[in-house]
Amino acid sequence: MHGWTYRRYGGPEVLEWTSLPETPPGEGEIAVRVACAALNPLDWKLREGHFRLFARGVPRGMGYDYSGIVEAAGPGVTGFKAGDAVAGMLDPIRAANGTLAERINAPAALAAPKPAGVSFEDAASLPGAGIMAVQSLTQAGVKPGQAVLIVGAAGGVGSFAVQLAKIAGARVTAVASGDGLDFVRPFAPERLVDYKREDWKAMDERFDVVFDASGSATFPECRRLLKAGGVSAHALPGAKLFLWSLWLRATAKERCLPVQERADIADLKRLVGLAADGRLRSVVTRVGRPEEVPEIQRAMQAGRNRGKIVVRMSPDRAAA
């Protein structure tokens, strides 16, 4: 069995395709033959050591979203058996192993049955980006009829957020550019803004919620677009956003919401259910091979991606 790991922090060059021991699943775990694993911005941020103060250190595996077939259930697991198709995730902060591997032992508590109508590729795309979108919109309190601005709408988190905000009954303005606009258009936002042609930060419209799904906007840039008492939510927040959050609690009606994703099985099951019902459309734009992972991460870090990129770890399973 092999998987992508790294023994020191740095760029994609530190990644190693490594032979890994094949151990039986432990208490509360399932052994999964991985069909597909997704790539996320958090992967390269962890690899570069951005969160070394509170995340598990090196050596460690790469990736935390997956889909696949259960090979065995460990002690205490009653909800899964060998042969079950599943989608799930590892805790990206605490896990030593990673999902960009041919086989993993994963917590059963963070796995959901994969419906037959949802492909392995789409199932693997749901946990990380989808849960971030769900939790961001939920914490921001998105309600029917509200005006919601989503910055970075063509990315993985953003494209899920556009759909989820629409499902919640909000009126969505999506910010993207170029082919990103074409990618987002089928998700039916009320308005598309090409940031290369129009400065979204200078728009006259005001919003109940501004969600920076790209992690690139500052709070002051988002704040000027908020209605009184509005919420600015931010994916992949930095230290300044936490300071803004604390300051606003005591000084203003507006809120700054730095969103820290939590592995949550209820959110994952909701996403899987929406996908099975056809209400949440696929955002997968590329299916790569294991050997392409370093190159894909370079492209992601440079911002050259749309939707979700997944890696097919087991072609025979992914075709099932």
Side-chain angles (χ1 to χ4, degrees):
M1 180 187 73
H2 289 79
W4 283 105
T5 66
Y6 53 101
R7 292 179 290 175
R8 58 189 175 91
Y9 298 116
E13 68 278 359
V14 305
L15 292 174
E16 302 176 20
W17 183 245
T18 308
S19 177
L20 302 173
E22 193 163 318
T23 58
E27 181 78 27
E29 291 183 332
I30 50 176
V32 178
R33 182 63 57 177
V34 179
C36 295
L39 294 171
N40 297 284
L42 181 56
D43 295 325
W44 64 260
K45 287 178 179 287
L46 286 165
R47 188 202 68 222
E48 288 195 339
H50 291 211
F51 306 108
R52 70 179 72 192
L53 292 180
F54 57 90
R56 186 184 183 97
V58 292
R60 61 177 295 165
M62 173 65 67
Y64 61 97
D65 298 344
Y66 72 89
S67 63
I69 301 292
V70 175
E71 292 193 332
V77 175
T78 58
F80 298 101
K81 64 183 185 304
D84 287 346
V86 294
M89 66 187 301
L90 308 177
D91 184 329
I93 300 300
R94 297 179 177 84
N97 59 334
T99 58
L100 285 162
E102 295 169 328
R103 181 186 182 274
I104 58 170
N105 290 331
L110 294 178
K114 184 193 79 66
V118 178
S119 70
F120 281 100
E121 290 85 355
D122 287 339
S125 77
L126 293 172
I131 289 176
M132 171 62 82
V134 166
Q135 293 179 354
S136 297
L137 298 180
T138 299
Q139 291 177 39
V142 172
K143 298 178 178 63
Q146 285 190 327
V148 176
L149 176 69
I150 298 176
V151 181
V157 174
S159 51
F160 278 130
V162 170
Q163 298 183 74
L164 291 165
K166 291 283 295 181
I167 290 170
R171 294 178 289 108
V172 178
T173 296
V175 178
S177 74
D179 60 347
L181 295 172
D182 294 330
F183 174 66
V184 175
R185 188 171 285 110
F187 304 143
E190 277 67 22
R191 182 183 175 194
L192 284 166
V193 176
D194 185 343
Y195 68 78
K196 291 187 176 180
R197 296 174 178 266
E198 179 181 357
D199 185 3
W200 66 268
K201 302 167 190 174
M203 290 192 301
D204 292 329
E205 187 177 354
R206 295 296 178 263
F207 299 88
D208 299 286
V209 175
V210 174
F211 176 36
D212 173 25
S214 66
S216 61
T218 67
F219 172 70
E221 290 171 339
C222 297
R223 185 181 189 179
R224 70 168 303 277
L225 297 174
L226 291 176
K227 295 179 180 180
V231 180
S232 177
H234 300 259
L236 296 174
K240 287 184 179 179
L241 288 167
F242 287 95
L243 294 175
W244 271 113
S245 176
L246 293 172
W247 174 254
L248 262 66
R249 289 180 190 177
T251 63
K253 294 181 179 180
E254 294 76 29
R255 286 197 295 143
C256 175
L257 185 64
V259 182
Q260 294 180 292
E261 181 180 344
R262 296 170 288 99
D264 189 289
I265 188 59
D267 289 338
L268 177 57
K269 287 182 176 179
R270 178 188 173 195
L271 290 162
V272 170
L274 289 170
D277 292 341
R279 300 179 67 194
L280 195 65
R281 297 177 59 171
S282 173
V283 301
V284 175
T285 56
R286 176 178 176 182
V287 180
R289 302 184 305 274
E291 62 268 24
E292 295 178 308
V293 166
E295 176 269 319
I296 292 172
Q297 285 207 336
R298 286 190 181 91
M300 289 185 69
Q301 195 163 347
R304 300 192 301 272
N305 61 284
R306 297 286 181 260
K308 287 292 297 180
I309 301 173
V310 301
V311 175
R312 187 176 288 127
M313 303 300 301
S314 178
D316 57 329
R317 295 299 190 188

